Amino acid sequence: MMEKEAKIYVAGHRGMVGSAIVRVLEKKGYHNILTKTHHELNLCRQTEVESFFEEEKPDYVFLAAAKVGGIVANQEALADFMYDNMILEMNVIHSAWQNGCKKLLFLGSSCIYPRMAPQPMPESCLLTSELEKTNEAYALAKISGLKYCEFLNRQYGTDYISAMPTNLYGPNDNYHPTHSHVLPALIRRFHEAKTQGLPQVTCWGTGAPLREFLYVDDLADACVFLMNHYSGNETVNVGTGQELTIRELTDLVARIIGYTGEIRWDTSRPDGTPRKLLDVSKLERLGWRYTTELSEGIRLAYEDFLNNPMRAER
């Protein structure tokens, strides 16, 4: 169990996941939380990371920093996604080990699993067949991070764990019109269509792929739970175990935002992986289950979008 007075470093605290972890930690009574902005500490610079860990020596680390984006962003910047993610995670994990960090939680992504993995996807299906090409570079970097944690455990006896969340959404999400993930992209698109009185909205693909979505504060709660209750080399899936089609998701977002126009589908655009549902039975056996239902989470995410004009404009 993490001691209440322990020094806890949250890497990526300004991002959607990192900010949620900070919120949950503070709510649970952890107040010795260490954060650094990208300007203060560039995690891609090895010497900066080494100096930071040597000086601060955090007891626990939540590694939530990452370069992220949707299908378009991943396809346009393959090399950038692989390099930035691999470098920053290796720098942080290695420096944590060198400076006696008691425990580290590495956050991956469900895209690490094979494109045609069994559904729902168990942790054991990792590296059993080829990855989805649209986010292969990001997935390879994340696989490297979780494997490095595993290898440190096996070689040096560390207690470094990894969690694989499903598709996330919530406060501090990225609402960029082309570089965001599907749910925040839909929130922005339907909000703009509603305010501009547009008669129709065009969405990408066929709408047929199945997806699972987890509210980010639920993920953060699961991360703190795992840090306190799980040790092991195998990663742990974090999700809801519930899925819906992109078409159903689109209808739900439109209804919550209040858009009543026509929804059309551009089938020339890529769908991505046909189905992505995590097997969350391992986490449920450990004693954790999500609490925020999708409709309520989307309502909260839309409130965040409306209350953060700088975020909404980017």
Side-chain angles (χ1 to χ4, degrees):
M1 295 284 287
M2 290 188 295
E3 307 82 13
K4 284 293 193 288
E5 69 279 3
K7 184 182 286 189
I8 303 171
Y9 172 46
V10 179
H13 75 285
R14 282 189 166 178
M16 178 172 64
V17 174
S19 61
I21 290 173
V22 171
R23 281 196 300 275
V24 169
L25 285 171
E26 290 177 341
K27 184 178 179 181
K28 292 180 180 294
Y30 298 97
H31 295 291
N32 191 8
I33 301 170
L34 183 60
T35 60
K36 291 287 182 181
T37 65
H38 177 73
H39 178 72
E40 293 170 326
L41 174 62
N42 184 346
L43 296 179
C44 288
R45 307 267 182 173
Q46 185 176 9
T47 55
E48 289 188 28
V49 178
E50 288 176 344
S51 296
F52 166 74
F53 272 86
E54 287 170 6
E55 180 179 343
E56 297 290 349
K57 295 196 180 300
D59 299 302
Y60 300 93
V61 173
F62 289 87
L63 181 41
K67 181 182 179 71
V68 298
I71 290 176
V72 172
N74 273 274
Q75 288 180 320
E76 287 178 350
L78 296 168
D80 294 347
F81 270 83
M82 187 168 189
Y83 178 84
D84 288 351
N85 284 297
M86 194 170 290
I87 290 294
L88 76 83
E89 69 198 25
M90 291 297 171
N91 285 342
V92 172
I93 297 167
H94 187 70
S95 288
W97 165 65
Q98 285 187 315
N99 289 277
C101 174
K102 293 180 182 179
K103 194 165 186 176
L104 177 146
L105 184 143
F106 173 74
L107 272 156
S109 164
S110 58
C111 72
I112 65 167
Y113 294 126
R115 171 179 167 81
M116 300 308 291
Q119 299 290 330
M121 297 181 287
E123 290 88 353
S124 59
C125 74
L126 180 66
L127 295 174
T128 55
S129 60
E130 73 174 345
L131 299 164
E132 161 64 32
K133 292 297 182 184
T134 55
N135 52 27
E136 183 180 27
Y138 182 71
L140 285 170
K142 286 296 184 180
I143 291 170
S144 297
L146 73 90
K147 281 295 181 182
Y148 187 47
C149 288
E150 176 190 336
F151 297 155
L152 283 172
N153 291 346
R154 287 166 57 182
Q155 185 174 350
Y156 295 106
T158 52
D159 188 9
Y160 291 179
I161 61 175
S162 59
M164 294 304 118
T166 189
N167 299 291
L168 302 170
Y169 70 99
N172 293 324
D173 208 339
N174 172 19
Y175 298 97
H176 191 281
T178 58
H179 290 178
S180 59
H181 290 104
V182 59
L183 207 160
L186 289 173
I187 288 175
R188 177 174 182 147
R189 196 168 302 168
F190 283 118
H191 169 78
E192 291 178 346
K194 175 186 174 182
T195 56
Q196 296 169 19
L198 300 181
Q200 65 187 39
V201 169
T202 300
C203 296
W204 285 16
T206 64
L210 290 159
R211 290 292 183 270
E212 173 188 19
F213 295 92
L214 179 69
Y215 189 62
V216 71
D217 285 53
D218 282 355
L219 167 67
D221 188 72
C223 288
V224 176
F225 174 87
L226 288 170
M227 194 70 107
N228 283 325
H229 299 286
Y230 176 74
S231 294
N233 289 334
E234 190 179 64
T235 189
V236 181
N237 289 338
V238 185
T240 64
Q242 311 294 319
E243 63 184 341
L244 76 169
T245 67
I246 294 297
R247 190 177 290 268
E248 290 170 331
L249 173 70
T250 300
D251 291 340
L252 179 60
V253 173
R255 184 165 68 251
I256 290 170
I257 289 176
Y259 178 74
T260 56
E262 180 186 3
I263 301 173
R264 292 185 176 181
W265 295 90
D266 181 358
T267 56
S268 69
R269 297 288 191 169
D271 269 337
T273 305
R275 191 183 186 200
K276 280 176 65 177
L277 178 65
L278 292 180
D279 179 348
V280 295
S281 58
K282 180 177 180 178
L283 181 57
E284 289 183 344
R285 286 194 302 271
L286 289 168
W288 188 91
R289 192 175 186 276
Y290 81 101
T291 58
T292 308
E293 297 296 340
L294 185 58
S295 57
E296 172 64 8
I298 293 173
R299 185 188 67 77
L300 292 169
Y302 186 43
E303 284 183 10
D304 173 69
F305 176 88
L306 294 175
N307 293 329
N308 290 272
M310 290 299 291
R311 189 170 303 280
E313 289 167 5
R314 70 181 180 183

